[in-house]
Amino acid sequence: MLNSVAAGRRLAQRTLVWQAVVSVLVALAFLPKGLPWGLAVLAGGLALLLGGWLSTRIALGGGVAPAATALGRLLAGVLVKWLVVAVVLTLALGVFRWPALPVLAGVAA
């Protein structure tokens, strides 16, 4: 085994930090269009950030395990990530009525 679980956790933490930085930069770029546009970008970025964090906790939280268990945790983490993204996007677009373009830009960033 070339990579440890700890190395995976460190890589996931670095990825989450970069996602947060990029989301804030894109939100600042959309801010001249108005505060709702900036908040919409942050909502999209926060959706993936929160989903990624939960996915990391689920997938890498149990330590070393047999292959079937590790695969199950990985699949559960991905499922939870996209469920969180779907809920946040539904709230941003349906409840808060923020524009779709910046929300999707935040997700894409």
Side-chain angles (χ1 to χ4, degrees), residues 20-77:
V21 168
V22 169
S23 294
V24 168
L25 290 176
V26 174
L28 288 174
F30 274 88
L31 203 53
K33 289 287 284 181
L35 185 60
W37 284 64
L39 291 175
V41 171
L42 286 179
L46 178 69
L48 276 182
L49 191 67
L50 181 61
W53 180 79
L54 284 173
S55 177
T56 300
R57 291 292 168 200
I58 292 169
L60 301 175
V64 178
T69 304
L71 181 62
R73 284 196 317 236
L74 181 65
L75 291 175

mmCIF file of all heavy atoms in Angstrom, residues 20-77:
data_model
loop_
_atom_site.group_PDB
_atom_site.id
_atom_site.type_symbol
_atom_site.label_atom_id
_atom_site.label_comp_id
_atom_site.label_asym_id
_atom_site.label_seq_id
_atom_site.Cartn_x
_atom_site.Cartn_y
_atom_site.Cartn_z
ATOM 1 N N ALA A 20 -12.599 26.454 -0.803
ATOM 2 C CA ALA A 20 -13.108 27.624 -0.089
ATOM 3 C C ALA A 20 -12.510 28.911 -0.663
ATOM 4 O O ALA A 20 -13.227 29.898 -0.867
ATOM 5 C CB ALA A 20 -12.789 27.504 1.400
ATOM 6 N N VAL A 21 -11.224 28.902 -0.930
ATOM 7 C CA VAL A 21 -10.558 30.093 -1.472
ATOM 8 C C VAL A 21 -11.133 30.453 -2.841
ATOM 9 O O VAL A 21 -11.461 31.615 -3.112
ATOM 10 C CB VAL A 21 -9.033 29.864 -1.549
ATOM 11 C CG1 VAL A 21 -8.353 30.958 -2.366
ATOM 12 C CG2 VAL A 21 -8.439 29.782 -0.158
ATOM 13 N N VAL A 22 -11.283 29.465 -3.703
ATOM 14 C CA VAL A 22 -11.811 29.721 -5.046
ATOM 15 C C VAL A 22 -13.254 30.211 -4.971
ATOM 16 O O VAL A 22 -13.656 31.118 -5.701
ATOM 17 C CB VAL A 22 -11.683 28.457 -5.918
ATOM 18 C CG1 VAL A 22 -12.456 28.597 -7.207
ATOM 19 C CG2 VAL A 22 -10.224 28.183 -6.214
ATOM 20 N N SER A 23 -14.055 29.633 -4.070
ATOM 21 C CA SER A 23 -15.451 30.072 -3.927
ATOM 22 C C SER A 23 -15.528 31.535 -3.511
ATOM 23 O O SER A 23 -16.355 32.289 -4.034
ATOM 24 C CB SER A 23 -16.179 29.207 -2.902
ATOM 25 O OG SER A 23 -16.296 27.894 -3.362
ATOM 26 N N VAL A 24 -14.678 31.944 -2.594
ATOM 27 C CA VAL A 24 -14.674 33.338 -2.148
ATOM 28 C C VAL A 24 -14.225 34.259 -3.282
ATOM 29 O O VAL A 24 -14.814 35.335 -3.487
ATOM 30 C CB VAL A 24 -13.780 33.511 -0.899
ATOM 31 C CG1 VAL A 24 -13.534 34.972 -0.588
ATOM 32 C CG2 VAL A 24 -14.411 32.810 0.293
ATOM 33 N N LEU A 25 -13.222 33.853 -4.049
ATOM 34 C CA LEU A 25 -12.761 34.686 -5.161
ATOM 35 C C LEU A 25 -13.832 34.837 -6.235
ATOM 36 O O LEU A 25 -14.036 35.938 -6.770
ATOM 37 C CB LEU A 25 -11.485 34.095 -5.760
ATOM 38 C CG LEU A 25 -10.236 34.177 -4.895
ATOM 39 C CD1 LEU A 25 -9.065 33.467 -5.557
ATOM 40 C CD2 LEU A 25 -9.880 35.625 -4.597
ATOM 41 N N VAL A 26 -14.531 33.758 -6.551
ATOM 42 C CA VAL A 26 -15.602 33.846 -7.548
ATOM 43 C C VAL A 26 -16.749 34.699 -7.007
ATOM 44 O O VAL A 26 -17.357 35.482 -7.739
ATOM 45 C CB VAL A 26 -16.080 32.440 -7.966
ATOM 46 C CG1 VAL A 26 -17.285 32.512 -8.878
ATOM 47 C CG2 VAL A 26 -14.954 31.685 -8.645
ATOM 48 N N ALA A 27 -17.051 34.581 -5.707
ATOM 49 C CA ALA A 27 -18.098 35.411 -5.104
ATOM 50 C C ALA A 27 -17.728 36.889 -5.187
ATOM 51 O O ALA A 27 -18.584 37.734 -5.468
ATOM 52 C CB ALA A 27 -18.327 34.996 -3.654
ATOM 53 N N LEU A 28 -16.459 37.203 -4.971
ATOM 54 C CA LEU A 28 -16.020 38.598 -5.090
ATOM 55 C C LEU A 28 -16.134 39.090 -6.528
ATOM 56 O O LEU A 28 -16.440 40.263 -6.762
ATOM 57 C CB LEU A 28 -14.582 38.736 -4.595
ATOM 58 C CG LEU A 28 -14.388 38.612 -3.088
ATOM 59 C CD1 LEU A 28 -12.902 38.615 -2.738
ATOM 60 C CD2 LEU A 28 -15.124 39.708 -2.343
ATOM 61 N N ALA A 29 -15.920 38.198 -7.494
ATOM 62 C CA ALA A 29 -16.049 38.591 -8.896
ATOM 63 C C ALA A 29 -17.505 38.880 -9.263
ATOM 64 O O ALA A 29 -17.777 39.732 -10.103
ATOM 65 C CB ALA A 29 -15.484 37.493 -9.798
ATOM 66 N N PHE A 30 -18.445 38.156 -8.641
ATOM 67 C CA PHE A 30 -19.866 38.356 -8.930
ATOM 68 C C PHE A 30 -20.492 39.466 -8.074
ATOM 69 O O PHE A 30 -21.618 39.872 -8.332
ATOM 70 C CB PHE A 30 -20.647 37.056 -8.701
ATOM 71 C CG PHE A 30 -20.664 36.149 -9.887
ATOM 72 C CD1 PHE A 30 -19.658 35.217 -10.080
ATOM 73 C CD2 PHE A 30 -21.696 36.213 -10.806
ATOM 74 C CE1 PHE A 30 -19.671 34.368 -11.165
ATOM 75 C CE2 PHE A 30 -21.721 35.366 -11.906
ATOM 76 C CZ PHE A 30 -20.701 34.442 -12.086
ATOM 77 N N LEU A 31 -19.792 39.935 -7.077
ATOM 78 C CA LEU A 31 -20.346 40.926 -6.153
ATOM 79 C C LEU A 31 -20.762 42.240 -6.827
ATOM 80 O O LEU A 31 -21.760 42.835 -6.407
ATOM 81 C CB LEU A 31 -19.359 41.193 -5.022
ATOM 82 C CG LEU A 31 -19.930 41.748 -3.732
ATOM 83 C CD1 LEU A 31 -21.069 40.877 -3.222
ATOM 84 C CD2 LEU A 31 -18.848 41.856 -2.684
ATOM 85 N N PRO A 32 -20.077 42.724 -7.864
ATOM 86 C CA PRO A 32 -20.552 43.946 -8.512
ATOM 87 C C PRO A 32 -21.969 43.838 -9.106
ATOM 88 O O PRO A 32 -22.638 44.851 -9.295
ATOM 89 C CB PRO A 32 -19.522 44.190 -9.626
ATOM 90 C CG PRO A 32 -18.276 43.557 -9.127
ATOM 91 C CD PRO A 32 -18.737 42.357 -8.352
ATOM 92 N N LYS A 33 -22.438 42.625 -9.378
ATOM 93 C CA LYS A 33 -23.810 42.444 -9.878
ATOM 94 C C LYS A 33 -24.842 42.587 -8.762
ATOM 95 O O LYS A 33 -26.021 42.692 -9.035
ATOM 96 C CB LYS A 33 -23.959 41.052 -10.511
ATOM 97 C CG LYS A 33 -23.242 40.872 -11.807
ATOM 98 C CD LYS A 33 -23.923 41.610 -12.926
ATOM 99 C CE LYS A 33 -25.163 40.861 -13.355
ATOM 100 N NZ LYS A 33 -25.861 41.507 -14.465
ATOM 101 N N GLY A 34 -24.394 42.568 -7.514
ATOM 102 C CA GLY A 34 -25.295 42.722 -6.387
ATOM 103 C C GLY A 34 -25.029 41.678 -5.312
ATOM 104 O O GLY A 34 -24.412 40.641 -5.568
ATOM 105 N N LEU A 35 -25.501 41.978 -4.121
ATOM 106 C CA LEU A 35 -25.282 41.073 -2.987
ATOM 107 C C LEU A 35 -25.933 39.703 -3.190
ATOM 108 O O LEU A 35 -25.307 38.686 -2.862
ATOM 109 C CB LEU A 35 -25.793 41.721 -1.693
ATOM 110 C CG LEU A 35 -25.516 40.944 -0.409
ATOM 111 C CD1 LEU A 35 -24.023 40.755 -0.194
ATOM 112 C CD2 LEU A 35 -26.149 41.647 0.770
ATOM 113 N N PRO A 36 -27.144 39.619 -3.744
ATOM 114 C CA PRO A 36 -27.713 38.276 -3.964
ATOM 115 C C PRO A 36 -26.859 37.404 -4.889
ATOM 116 O O PRO A 36 -26.782 36.198 -4.692
ATOM 117 C CB PRO A 36 -29.081 38.560 -4.596
ATOM 118 C CG PRO A 36 -29.433 39.929 -4.143
ATOM 119 C CD PRO A 36 -28.131 40.657 -4.052
ATOM 120 N N TRP A 37 -26.205 38.013 -5.860
ATOM 121 C CA TRP A 37 -25.346 37.240 -6.759
ATOM 122 C C TRP A 37 -24.127 36.704 -6.002
ATOM 123 O O TRP A 37 -23.734 35.555 -6.186
ATOM 124 C CB TRP A 37 -24.906 38.086 -7.945
ATOM 125 C CG TRP A 37 -25.982 38.283 -8.963
ATOM 126 C CD1 TRP A 37 -27.157 38.939 -8.781
ATOM 127 C CD2 TRP A 37 -25.987 37.802 -10.295
ATOM 128 N NE1 TRP A 37 -27.899 38.904 -9.929
ATOM 129 C CE2 TRP A 37 -27.206 38.213 -10.885
ATOM 130 C CE3 TRP A 37 -25.086 37.085 -11.065
ATOM 131 C CZ2 TRP A 37 -27.535 37.913 -12.198
ATOM 132 C CZ3 TRP A 37 -25.415 36.794 -12.377
ATOM 133 C CH2 TRP A 37 -26.624 37.202 -12.924
ATOM 134 N N GLY A 38 -23.531 37.522 -5.168
ATOM 135 C CA GLY A 38 -22.388 37.068 -4.373
ATOM 136 C C GLY A 38 -22.772 35.973 -3.388
ATOM 137 O O GLY A 38 -22.050 34.992 -3.214
ATOM 138 N N LEU A 39 -23.930 36.141 -2.751
ATOM 139 C CA LEU A 39 -24.396 35.112 -1.821
ATOM 140 C C LEU A 39 -24.744 33.817 -2.544
ATOM 141 O O LEU A 39 -24.533 32.724 -2.011
ATOM 142 C CB LEU A 39 -25.611 35.626 -1.048
ATOM 143 C CG LEU A 39 -25.344 36.748 -0.047
ATOM 144 C CD1 LEU A 39 -26.649 37.244 0.551
ATOM 145 C CD2 LEU A 39 -24.393 36.287 1.029
ATOM 146 N N ALA A 40 -25.258 33.933 -3.759
ATOM 147 C CA ALA A 40 -25.595 32.740 -4.532
ATOM 148 C C ALA A 40 -24.336 31.949 -4.877
ATOM 149 O O ALA A 40 -24.329 30.719 -4.806
ATOM 150 C CB ALA A 40 -26.341 33.140 -5.797
ATOM 151 N N VAL A 41 -23.269 32.640 -5.240
ATOM 152 C CA VAL A 41 -22.003 31.953 -5.523
ATOM 153 C C VAL A 41 -21.493 31.263 -4.266
ATOM 154 O O VAL A 41 -21.055 30.108 -4.297
ATOM 155 C CB VAL A 41 -20.946 32.938 -6.059
ATOM 156 C CG1 VAL A 41 -19.587 32.276 -6.145
ATOM 157 C CG2 VAL A 41 -21.356 33.475 -7.404
ATOM 158 N N LEU A 42 -21.568 31.963 -3.135
ATOM 159 C CA LEU A 42 -21.123 31.350 -1.882
ATOM 160 C C LEU A 42 -21.969 30.138 -1.515
ATOM 161 O O LEU A 42 -21.452 29.152 -0.985
ATOM 162 C CB LEU A 42 -21.149 32.378 -0.752
ATOM 163 C CG LEU A 42 -20.039 33.419 -0.776
ATOM 164 C CD1 LEU A 42 -20.201 34.387 0.381
ATOM 165 C CD2 LEU A 42 -18.683 32.760 -0.734
ATOM 166 N N ALA A 43 -23.257 30.187 -1.797
ATOM 167 C CA ALA A 43 -24.115 29.037 -1.518
ATOM 168 C C ALA A 43 -23.706 27.831 -2.353
ATOM 169 O O ALA A 43 -23.631 26.710 -1.844
ATOM 170 C CB ALA A 43 -25.579 29.393 -1.775
ATOM 171 N N GLY A 44 -23.429 28.056 -3.629
ATOM 172 C CA GLY A 44 -22.983 26.961 -4.485
ATOM 173 C C GLY A 44 -21.645 26.395 -4.038
ATOM 174 O O GLY A 44 -21.449 25.174 -3.986
ATOM 175 N N GLY A 45 -20.729 27.275 -3.706
ATOM 176 C CA GLY A 45 -19.425 26.818 -3.218
ATOM 177 C C GLY A 45 -19.531 26.125 -1.870
ATOM 178 O O GLY A 45 -18.860 25.112 -1.624
ATOM 179 N N LEU A 46 -20.385 26.654 -1.004
ATOM 180 C CA LEU A 46 -20.575 26.042 0.310
ATOM 181 C C LEU A 46 -21.204 24.661 0.190
ATOM 182 O O LEU A 46 -20.872 23.761 0.965
ATOM 183 C CB LEU A 46 -21.460 26.936 1.186
ATOM 184 C CG LEU A 46 -21.780 26.401 2.570
ATOM 185 C CD1 LEU A 46 -20.527 26.394 3.428
ATOM 186 C CD2 LEU A 46 -22.861 27.233 3.232
ATOM 187 N N ALA A 47 -22.063 24.478 -0.794
ATOM 188 C CA ALA A 47 -22.698 23.171 -0.994
ATOM 189 C C ALA A 47 -21.643 22.102 -1.252
ATOM 190 O O ALA A 47 -21.647 21.042 -0.621
ATOM 191 C CB ALA A 47 -23.689 23.237 -2.150
ATOM 192 N N LEU A 48 -20.736 22.389 -2.168
ATOM 193 C CA LEU A 48 -19.696 21.402 -2.461
ATOM 194 C C LEU A 48 -18.680 21.298 -1.336
ATOM 195 O O LEU A 48 -18.165 20.215 -1.071
ATOM 196 C CB LEU A 48 -18.993 21.743 -3.765
ATOM 197 C CG LEU A 48 -19.706 21.243 -5.004
ATOM 198 C CD1 LEU A 48 -18.937 21.580 -6.252
ATOM 199 C CD2 LEU A 48 -19.946 19.768 -4.941
ATOM 200 N N LEU A 49 -18.409 22.394 -0.667
ATOM 201 C CA LEU A 49 -17.472 22.364 0.450
ATOM 202 C C LEU A 49 -18.004 21.499 1.581
ATOM 203 O O LEU A 49 -17.305 20.618 2.092
ATOM 204 C CB LEU A 49 -17.207 23.783 0.936
ATOM 205 C CG LEU A 49 -16.076 23.978 1.919
ATOM 206 C CD1 LEU A 49 -14.752 23.683 1.242
ATOM 207 C CD2 LEU A 49 -16.081 25.397 2.432
ATOM 208 N N LEU A 50 -19.247 21.723 1.961
ATOM 209 C CA LEU A 50 -19.855 20.931 3.031
ATOM 210 C C LEU A 50 -20.009 19.472 2.614
ATOM 211 O O LEU A 50 -19.716 18.558 3.388
ATOM 212 C CB LEU A 50 -21.216 21.525 3.410
ATOM 213 C CG LEU A 50 -21.983 20.824 4.526
ATOM 214 C CD1 LEU A 50 -21.192 20.840 5.823
ATOM 215 C CD2 LEU A 50 -23.333 21.484 4.717
ATOM 216 N N GLY A 51 -20.452 19.256 1.383
ATOM 217 C CA GLY A 51 -20.586 17.895 0.888
ATOM 218 C C GLY A 51 -19.252 17.163 0.835
ATOM 219 O O GLY A 51 -19.154 15.991 1.195
ATOM 220 N N GLY A 52 -18.210 17.845 0.403
ATOM 221 C CA GLY A 52 -16.879 17.248 0.359
ATOM 222 C C GLY A 52 -16.349 16.919 1.734
ATOM 223 O O GLY A 52 -15.715 15.879 1.946
ATOM 224 N N TRP A 53 -16.597 17.803 2.678
ATOM 225 C CA TRP A 53 -16.147 17.555 4.053
ATOM 226 C C TRP A 53 -16.853 16.338 4.639
ATOM 227 O O TRP A 53 -16.211 15.475 5.246
ATOM 228 C CB TRP A 53 -16.397 18.796 4.915
ATOM 229 C CG TRP A 53 -15.959 18.608 6.322
ATOM 230 C CD1 TRP A 53 -14.688 18.672 6.807
ATOM 231 C CD2 TRP A 53 -16.806 18.318 7.433
ATOM 232 N NE1 TRP A 53 -14.696 18.432 8.154
ATOM 233 C CE2 TRP A 53 -15.985 18.212 8.562
ATOM 234 C CE3 TRP A 53 -18.168 18.146 7.582
ATOM 235 C CZ2 TRP A 53 -16.492 17.940 9.822
ATOM 236 C CZ3 TRP A 53 -18.670 17.868 8.831
ATOM 237 C CH2 TRP A 53 -17.836 17.765 9.937
ATOM 238 N N LEU A 54 -18.169 16.266 4.463
ATOM 239 C CA LEU A 54 -18.909 15.108 4.962
ATOM 240 C C LEU A 54 -18.474 13.825 4.260
ATOM 241 O O LEU A 54 -18.340 12.774 4.899
ATOM 242 C CB LEU A 54 -20.413 15.316 4.782
ATOM 243 C CG LEU A 54 -21.078 16.267 5.763
ATOM 244 C CD1 LEU A 54 -22.523 16.515 5.356
ATOM 245 C CD2 LEU A 54 -21.013 15.720 7.169
ATOM 246 N N SER A 55 -18.250 13.913 2.960
ATOM 247 C CA SER A 55 -17.795 12.750 2.211
ATOM 248 C C SER A 55 -16.447 12.254 2.728
ATOM 249 O O SER A 55 -16.235 11.052 2.880
ATOM 250 C CB SER A 55 -17.689 13.105 0.734
ATOM 251 O OG SER A 55 -17.189 12.024 -0.012
ATOM 252 N N THR A 56 -15.550 13.178 3.022
ATOM 253 C CA THR A 56 -14.246 12.808 3.572
ATOM 254 C C THR A 56 -14.390 12.140 4.923
ATOM 255 O O THR A 56 -13.740 11.132 5.201
ATOM 256 C CB THR A 56 -13.363 14.063 3.695
ATOM 257 O OG1 THR A 56 -13.201 14.640 2.407
ATOM 258 C CG2 THR A 56 -12.014 13.733 4.273
ATOM 259 N N ARG A 57 -15.245 12.693 5.765
ATOM 260 C CA ARG A 57 -15.449 12.111 7.095
ATOM 261 C C ARG A 57 -15.999 10.693 7.010
ATOM 262 O O ARG A 57 -15.590 9.820 7.760
ATOM 263 C CB ARG A 57 -16.396 12.970 7.928
ATOM 264 C CG ARG A 57 -15.832 14.282 8.334
ATOM 265 C CD ARG A 57 -14.727 14.063 9.313
ATOM 266 N NE ARG A 57 -13.995 15.299 9.491
ATOM 267 C CZ ARG A 57 -12.784 15.359 9.974
ATOM 268 N NH1 ARG A 57 -12.164 14.273 10.334
ATOM 269 N NH2 ARG A 57 -12.176 16.511 10.092
ATOM 270 N N ILE A 58 -16.909 10.478 6.099
ATOM 271 C CA ILE A 58 -17.507 9.154 5.967
ATOM 272 C C ILE A 58 -16.528 8.177 5.322
ATOM 273 O O ILE A 58 -16.324 7.066 5.818
ATOM 274 C CB ILE A 58 -18.821 9.230 5.161
ATOM 275 C CG1 ILE A 58 -19.875 9.992 5.959
ATOM 276 C CG2 ILE A 58 -19.324 7.837 4.806
ATOM 277 C CD1 ILE A 58 -21.113 10.349 5.169
ATOM 278 N N ALA A 59 -15.910 8.580 4.221
ATOM 279 C CA ALA A 59 -15.054 7.674 3.466
ATOM 280 C C ALA A 59 -13.764 7.338 4.191
ATOM 281 O O ALA A 59 -13.293 6.201 4.129
ATOM 282 C CB ALA A 59 -14.743 8.276 2.098
ATOM 283 N N LEU A 60 -13.179 8.300 4.881
ATOM 284 C CA LEU A 60 -11.884 8.085 5.524
ATOM 285 C C LEU A 60 -11.973 8.022 7.036
ATOM 286 O O LEU A 60 -10.950 7.967 7.710
ATOM 287 C CB LEU A 60 -10.911 9.197 5.114
ATOM 288 C CG LEU A 60 -10.643 9.326 3.619
ATOM 289 C CD1 LEU A 60 -9.765 10.532 3.354
ATOM 290 C CD2 LEU A 60 -10.016 8.063 3.081
ATOM 291 N N GLY A 61 -13.167 8.021 7.580
ATOM 292 C CA GLY A 61 -13.321 8.082 9.026
ATOM 293 C C GLY A 61 -13.123 6.782 9.770
ATOM 294 O O GLY A 61 -12.858 6.772 10.953
ATOM 295 N N GLY A 62 -13.211 5.658 9.117
ATOM 296 C CA GLY A 62 -13.154 4.387 9.815
ATOM 297 C C GLY A 62 -11.796 3.741 9.872
ATOM 298 O O GLY A 62 -11.658 2.652 10.407
ATOM 299 N N GLY A 63 -10.786 4.371 9.311
ATOM 300 C CA GLY A 63 -9.458 3.784 9.318
ATOM 301 C C GLY A 63 -9.339 2.676 8.288
ATOM 302 O O GLY A 63 -10.094 2.592 7.331
ATOM 303 N N VAL A 64 -8.372 1.792 8.512
ATOM 304 C CA VAL A 64 -8.127 0.697 7.592
ATOM 305 C C VAL A 64 -9.224 -0.348 7.765
ATOM 306 O O VAL A 64 -9.575 -0.710 8.877
ATOM 307 C CB VAL A 64 -6.737 0.083 7.851
ATOM 308 C CG1 VAL A 64 -6.488 -1.096 6.938
ATOM 309 C CG2 VAL A 64 -5.663 1.137 7.682
ATOM 310 N N ALA A 65 -9.759 -0.820 6.636
ATOM 311 C CA ALA A 65 -10.857 -1.788 6.674
ATOM 312 C C ALA A 65 -10.745 -2.707 5.469
ATOM 313 O O ALA A 65 -10.011 -2.415 4.522
ATOM 314 C CB ALA A 65 -12.197 -1.053 6.654
ATOM 315 N N PRO A 66 -11.473 -3.810 5.497
ATOM 316 C CA PRO A 66 -11.493 -4.678 4.309
ATOM 317 C C PRO A 66 -12.025 -3.924 3.087
ATOM 318 O O PRO A 66 -12.703 -2.902 3.209
ATOM 319 C CB PRO A 66 -12.453 -5.804 4.704
ATOM 320 C CG PRO A 66 -12.502 -5.771 6.187
ATOM 321 C CD PRO A 66 -12.233 -4.362 6.602
ATOM 322 N N ALA A 67 -11.742 -4.461 1.912
ATOM 323 C CA ALA A 67 -12.070 -3.779 0.670
ATOM 324 C C ALA A 67 -13.561 -3.491 0.542
ATOM 325 O O ALA A 67 -13.948 -2.396 0.122
ATOM 326 C CB ALA A 67 -11.591 -4.604 -0.522
ATOM 327 N N ALA A 68 -14.414 -4.436 0.888
ATOM 328 C CA ALA A 68 -15.859 -4.226 0.753
ATOM 329 C C ALA A 68 -16.337 -3.107 1.663
ATOM 330 O O ALA A 68 -17.157 -2.272 1.261
ATOM 331 C CB ALA A 68 -16.606 -5.519 1.066
ATOM 332 N N THR A 69 -15.814 -3.045 2.865
ATOM 333 C CA THR A 69 -16.206 -1.984 3.800
ATOM 334 C C THR A 69 -15.701 -0.629 3.315
ATOM 335 O O THR A 69 -16.429 0.367 3.365
ATOM 336 C CB THR A 69 -15.637 -2.278 5.203
ATOM 337 O OG1 THR A 69 -16.076 -3.570 5.615
ATOM 338 C CG2 THR A 69 -16.090 -1.239 6.209
ATOM 339 N N ALA A 70 -14.457 -0.588 2.836
ATOM 340 C CA ALA A 70 -13.899 0.671 2.341
ATOM 341 C C ALA A 70 -14.679 1.167 1.131
ATOM 342 O O ALA A 70 -14.976 2.366 1.018
ATOM 343 C CB ALA A 70 -12.425 0.485 1.984
ATOM 344 N N LEU A 71 -15.041 0.267 0.232
ATOM 345 C CA LEU A 71 -15.827 0.657 -0.933
ATOM 346 C C LEU A 71 -17.210 1.141 -0.519
ATOM 347 O O LEU A 71 -17.718 2.130 -1.059
ATOM 348 C CB LEU A 71 -15.952 -0.509 -1.915
ATOM 349 C CG LEU A 71 -16.740 -0.223 -3.190
ATOM 350 C CD1 LEU A 71 -16.066 0.877 -4.002
ATOM 351 C CD2 LEU A 71 -16.885 -1.486 -4.017
ATOM 352 N N GLY A 72 -17.810 0.483 0.450
ATOM 353 C CA GLY A 72 -19.116 0.917 0.954
ATOM 354 C C GLY A 72 -19.062 2.302 1.564
ATOM 355 O O GLY A 72 -19.951 3.136 1.325
ATOM 356 N N ARG A 73 -18.007 2.576 2.339
ATOM 357 C CA ARG A 73 -17.855 3.914 2.924
ATOM 358 C C ARG A 73 -17.624 4.957 1.849
ATOM 359 O O ARG A 73 -18.147 6.072 1.919
ATOM 360 C CB ARG A 73 -16.704 3.927 3.928
ATOM 361 C CG ARG A 73 -17.037 3.272 5.233
ATOM 362 C CD ARG A 73 -16.045 3.630 6.314
ATOM 363 N NE ARG A 73 -14.678 3.599 5.860
ATOM 364 C CZ ARG A 73 -13.711 2.872 6.402
ATOM 365 N NH1 ARG A 73 -13.973 2.108 7.441
ATOM 366 N NH2 ARG A 73 -12.494 2.922 5.926
ATOM 367 N N LEU A 74 -16.844 4.608 0.832
ATOM 368 C CA LEU A 74 -16.598 5.546 -0.260
ATOM 369 C C LEU A 74 -17.895 5.874 -1.000
ATOM 370 O O LEU A 74 -18.190 7.042 -1.262
ATOM 371 C CB LEU A 74 -15.571 4.962 -1.225
ATOM 372 C CG LEU A 74 -15.186 5.824 -2.412
ATOM 373 C CD1 LEU A 74 -14.485 7.093 -1.943
ATOM 374 C CD2 LEU A 74 -14.303 5.056 -3.351
ATOM 375 N N LEU A 75 -18.672 4.868 -1.304
ATOM 376 C CA LEU A 75 -19.949 5.098 -1.992
ATOM 377 C C LEU A 75 -20.926 5.881 -1.118
ATOM 378 O O LEU A 75 -21.642 6.757 -1.609
ATOM 379 C CB LEU A 75 -20.560 3.767 -2.427
ATOM 380 C CG LEU A 75 -19.807 3.039 -3.548
ATOM 381 C CD1 LEU A 75 -20.440 1.676 -3.803
ATOM 382 C CD2 LEU A 75 -19.774 3.866 -4.799
ATOM 383 N N ALA A 76 -20.959 5.576 0.167
ATOM 384 C CA ALA A 76 -21.830 6.323 1.082
ATOM 385 C C ALA A 76 -21.408 7.789 1.154
ATOM 386 O O ALA A 76 -22.253 8.694 1.190
ATOM 387 C CB ALA A 76 -21.807 5.692 2.467
ATOM 388 N N GLY A 77 -20.100 8.039 1.164
ATOM 389 C CA GLY A 77 -19.609 9.407 1.197
ATOM 390 C C GLY A 77 -20.005 10.191 -0.043
ATOM 391 O O GLY A 77 -20.436 11.338 0.042
#
